[in-house]
Amino acid sequence: MILTVTLNTALDITYRVPVLRPHTSHRVTEVGERPGGKGVNVARVLAALGHAVTVTGFAGGSTGRELREGLAGVRGLTDALVPCAGRTRRTVAVVDERTGDTTQLNEPGPVVSPAEWSAFQDVYEDLLDSVSAVALCGSLPPGLPVGAYAGLVRTARAANVPVLLDTGGEALRRGVAARPDLIKPNADELAELTGSHEPRRATQDARRRGARAVVASLGAEGLLAHTPEGTWRAVPPARVRGNPTGAGDSAVAGLLSGLVEHLPWPARLSRAVALSTATVLSPAAGDFDRPAYEELLNRVSVTGEVSAA
Amino acid sequence: MILTVTLNTALDITYRVPVLRPHTSHRVTEVGERPGGKGVNVARVLAALGHAVTVTGFAGGSTGRELREGLAGVRGLTDALVPCAGRTRRTVAVVDERTGDTTQLNEPGPVVSPAEWSAFQDVYEDLLDSVSAVALCGSLPPGLPVGAYAGLVRTARAANVPVLLDTGGEALRRGVAARPDLIKPNADELAELTGSHEPRRATQDARRRGARAVVASLGAEGLLAHTPEGTWRAVPPARVRGNPTGAGDSAVAGLLSGLVEHLPWPARLSRAVALSTATVLSPAAGDFDRPAYEELLNRVSVTGEVSAA
C-alpha cells in the first residue's frame, strides 16, 4: 500500500467554450468534473498502474462530498480523507476550443483549524503503520503552519517509511530540512529553494539542504536526478505537444511506484518520464495515454552523469 | 402568497480576480455563492419587500442541494422546488477587480425527464390554489417542450391566478399566444418576438399576439408599459452606473408586488423602476440598495402616453 497526502484537495472543473472573450457571457458547451489536488492525481496514476493506494488529506463541504463520491469510483484506491468544516476548493479550467488554451481559476482552500490539523496527524500516524511509501503533495491550505510538511516528513522517518515531498516555496524549504528521502521540484521550485537557476548545481545544493535524493523535472528536457547512488538525466525520445497539466504528478507516481518495486534508479526515471510524457499526450488533462506510455518506456534515454559526491 | 417558477435554477458563483488574463492561471481572491435563476432572484426581492413568496421549479444534485440550503436562510420564502435527477447548473461570474468588468460562464441546465416534468406540473397546479399571482421566469432546461410556459400560463388562467411571463425566444412566442396577463421583455426579446426594433410599435404588437399587458424594460431608458388601462413610460431620475445584473428581475418583483397590492399602474411602474435602479446601484450583484430604493421611489418620472387602443 502506498499513501498519498493532499492537504489542499480540490474539485477540478473543466469548462469548454467555443472562444473565451473576457467581459462577455459564454454558454459552456461541456462540463467536466473530477477529484483533484496533486496527491489525488498521483494516487489515480498509481491505481492505474495496479498499485493499492490510500488517499488522505482534508475534504469538507459540498465540494468535499463530490470529491469523495468521485474517489469511490476509482478501483484500487482507498479514501482516508479527514473531514474539515471548511469547504474543499474548486479549480475551474476554461478551455478555449479555438486555440486549445486554458485559463485557470483556483479558489483558495478551506481554513483548517488546529483541532482538524491535530486529528489529521493522528490519522496520518496510524496510516504509516501499513504503507511502504508516502508522498506529500501540493500547497498547504490556509490555517496550517508553514512547517506542516516538515512535521509529516519527521513522522514518516520515525516510522521508517520512505517519504517523497512535492511542494514549493517556504513549505518546501522547511520540509527539505527535515530530510525527506526524495523531493521532485520543477525548475522554478528548485531555483526558489536554492537561489540557483543552473539545474545541476541546484540539485546538488538541494541535497546539501537535507533531501536524500532530488529529481528535478525540467519540462520538455525531462528529469535530472541527483541521488546517493548516482546522477542521471532522463529525457523523452522527442518533444511532444499537448496539455502538461498533471505531467509532474505522473512523474511522482512513476518515481514512487519504482521505489516500492525496488527498481534501480534508471528504471524508475524511465518510468517517470514515460508516464509524464504520456500524460502530456492524453487528451484528458491529468490522465495518461496507456499505449503511448508502454511504447515510450523503452525509448526514454537515461544517461549517467558524474558519480555522486 | 406569490409564486415564482424557475425551471432552470442555478447556483450563482462569483469569483473576484485582480486582473483576468486569458490563458494564464489565477488565484481567486474572493468566492461568493448564492441561489440563482431569474425566478429565485425575483422571489428574494419580493421577500425583502415583505411579501410571502414560494419558489418552485427544479433542483438536483449537489448544486441543487446547495441552492436549497441557501434558500432556507431567506426569511419569508418557502422552498417548493421539485427534485430532478440531473444536476442544477452553476453560473460563474468572474469579476476583474481592475476594471470591474464581468466575464460570465453559464453551464447548461440538467436534462429534465418527462416524468419529472409531469411531477412538476402536479406540484404547480396544487400551489396555484393558494397564491395571488405567479411569475414564470427564465430559460427552459434541456428536455422540456418549447411550449412548456404556454401550458403553465393556461393552467394559471384556468385557476384564475394572474400570470407574468419573463422569458425569451420561442418559449416567449409560444407563451404569449397562451395569453398571459403580463410579459416583461427587454429590448432584444421584444424585437425577437415582434420583428420590430421600435419599442412603442413592438409593445403594441406583443399585445396583439396575446399578452394582456406588456412592460418593456429598456435599460437606462426605464420601462414602457402598454396595458388595457393605458400606456406609460417610467424613467429613473438620472442615469446610474453600476452592475445591471438582476435589474430586470427586480423590475419583475416590483410589478408583481404592485399587482397583488392592487396599486394603479403608475405606482407599479415607479416601484419597478426604483427597484431596478437600486439594484444597479448595489455593490452585490442582484441585491438592491434599500435606502436608494426608498429615495428613488418618489423621483421616478411616470408619464402617460397615448390612451390604450
Side-chain angles (χ1 to χ4, degrees), chain B residues 163-223:
Chain B
V163 53
L164 182 156
L165 177 62
D166 185 17
T167 187
E170 189 60 22
L172 175 59
R173 185 185 307 279
R174 303 275 193 109
V176 165
R179 313 190 77 74
D181 294 276
L182 178 59
I183 63 172
K184 193 224 60 62
N186 61 31
D188 288 345
E189 290 160 348
L190 190 61
E192 196 186 347
L193 175 66
T194 63
S196 166
H197 288 272
E198 201 290 293
R200 291 193 52 196
R201 182 175 305 166
T203 51
Q204 284 180 323
D205 182 70
R207 287 196 63 207
R208 273 194 296 271
R209 287 167 186 270
R212 189 162 186 277
V214 179
V215 177
S217 57
L218 306 173
E221 282 154 56
L223 301 176

Side-chain angles (χ1 to χ4, degrees), chain B residues 106-121:
Chain B
N106 297 330
E107 295 186 3
V111 177
V112 175
S113 72
E116 288 163 346
W117 174 229
S118 166
F120 169 80
Q121 287 169 290

Side-chain angles (χ1 to χ4, degrees), chain A residues 20-45:
Chain A
L20 178 64
R21 292 190 206 283
H23 317 319
T24 68
S25 194
H26 305 76
R27 278 175 205 268
V28 173
T29 50
E30 202 183 307
V31 181
E33 199 175 299
R34 69 173 198 176
K38 281 178 180 290
V40 170
N41 298 338
V42 170
R44 196 166 25 222
V45 175

Side-chain angles (χ1 to χ4, degrees), chain B residues 242-255:
Chain B
N243 185 345
T245 306
D249 302 331
S250 292
V252 168
L255 295 172

Side-chain angles (χ1 to χ4, degrees), chain A residues 13 15 22-28 33 62 65-66 87 90 92 94 101-108, chain B residues 13 15 22-28 33 62 65-66 87 90 92 94 101-108:
Chain A
I13 297 169
Y15 286 161
H23 317 319
T24 68
S25 194
H26 305 76
R27 278 175 205 268
V28 173
E33 199 175 299
S62 55
R65 220 159 33 213
E66 281 190 77
R87 193 178 58 185
R90 285 172 289 222
V92 177
V94 184
D101 282 332
T102 297
T103 304
Q104 188 74 35
L105 299 156
N106 296 331
E107 294 186 5
Chain B
I13 297 169
Y15 286 161
H23 316 318
T24 69
S25 194
H26 304 77
R27 277 175 206 267
V28 174
E33 199 174 298
S62 56
R65 217 157 38 210
E66 280 191 78
R87 194 178 59 185
R90 285 173 289 224
V92 178
V94 185
D101 283 331
T102 297
T103 304
Q104 188 75 37
L105 299 156
N106 297 330
E107 295 186 3

Side-chain angles (χ1 to χ4, degrees), chain B residues 111-131:
Chain B
V111 177
V112 175
S113 72
E116 288 163 346
W117 174 229
S118 166
F120 169 80
Q121 287 169 290
D122 290 346
V123 167
Y124 174 72
E125 204 168 339
D126 287 350
L127 288 167
L128 286 175
D129 286 345
S130 51
V131 301

